[in-house]
Amino acid sequence: RGNSVTVREVLDAATKRIDTDLHTEPRLRTQLLVAMGQAYNGLGLWDQASQLLEPAVEQERKSFGDSHMELAEALTALATANHNSNRFDVGLAQYLEALKIREALGRMRDADAAKLLNAVAGSLRAQQHFDQPLHYSQRAEAIARGLAPAQPRVLGQVLQGYAMTYLLTGEHARAERLARDSLALLRDAVNDD
């Protein structure tokens, strides 16, 4: 119409149509709900993200069971919305369920696995559990360092989270070393979460 349209307006319009247009296509419906929920997460609209991601998780469980990657991805996106809305305990449970699915499927060698472990560590930190995040950060770092091809941004995010844990436990020298390492990897990065 010659008008400028925002991403949010497009998402809002698509959300209104998804149930009517895709009610006979459960897999496509859930994939779109997750993608749109992730977009709302990226815009900082966490309640809207949750409103899409909760039915996506339910649909994944109902249609396809409790142990597949699409459910793990939907749970991770929902956990992120809950974490960002300060519902840390709910988000942590969802992150851990997603992690359990990935582990059972043997899908723990990619960038998304490193990011998930880093998210678990961040959720534990947010709840002031400072010993537990170190285990998840160590695992995330090992995966991030082993990625081929290398993904410096993923490694930088993991090291940044690791540094935060050490900072909060008072181990400032370790925190500074990890933060400096992460800074070199993230210098030009834009936070799209």
Side-chain angles (χ1 to χ4, degrees):
R1 298 183 308 260
N3 298 331
S4 61
V5 179
T6 67
V7 171
R8 179 166 183 188
E9 290 170 327
V10 172
L11 285 170
D12 291 345
T15 299
K16 292 175 186 172
R17 294 182 51 199
I18 201 162
D19 286 327
T20 57
D21 292 359
L22 295 174
H23 65 280
T24 61
E25 300 286 339
R27 174 58 77 203
L28 181 58
R29 181 179 179 276
T30 56
Q31 287 174 337
L32 285 173
L33 286 171
V34 170
M36 291 164 51
Q38 290 169 325
Y40 276 122
N41 268 340
L43 293 171
L45 301 169
W46 303 305
D47 289 337
Q48 291 88 335
S50 292
Q51 289 169 8
L52 293 177
L53 293 164
E54 286 171 3
V57 167
E58 290 173 26
Q59 182 68 48
E60 284 292 340
R61 288 188 200 284
K62 180 180 171 187
S63 298
F64 307 105
D66 290 328
S67 58
H68 58 283
M69 278 304 296
E70 291 82 359
L71 176 59
E73 291 166 357
L75 281 164
T76 300
L78 179 56
T80 299
N82 282 316
H83 176 88
N84 289 335
S85 297
N86 296 327
R87 295 187 291 265
F88 301 122
D89 54 338
V90 175
L92 178 60
Q94 292 160 342
Y95 280 138
L96 290 173
E97 184 180 357
L99 180 60
K100 184 178 177 181
I101 292 168
R102 277 184 155 273
E103 289 172 334
L105 294 173
R107 301 285 301 269
M108 292 302 298
R109 295 178 188 253
D110 61 14
D112 288 337
K115 290 177 189 177
L116 177 56
L117 289 164
N118 193 45
V120 171
S123 188
L124 288 164
R125 255 192 331 271
Q127 296 178 66
Q128 299 187 2
H129 302 290
F130 299 127
D131 292 333
Q132 296 169 3
L134 294 174
H135 165 74
Y136 293 101
S137 293
Q138 288 168 344
R139 289 179 64 194
E141 181 184 10
I143 293 167
R145 288 192 185 280
L147 293 173
Q151 295 189 33
R153 183 172 177 181
V154 172
L155 179 58
Q157 289 170 335
V158 167
L159 295 177
Q160 185 179 47
Y162 215 166
M164 286 300 295
T165 301
Y166 279 123
L167 177 67
L168 294 169
T169 60
E171 295 190 46
H172 297 125
R174 279 187 176 177
E176 181 180 357
R177 181 179 49 80
L178 289 164
R180 287 183 183 280
D181 290 348
S182 74
L183 182 62
L185 298 167
L186 296 174
R187 185 170 304 279
D188 298 323
V190 175
N191 183 1
D192 46 279
D193 293 327

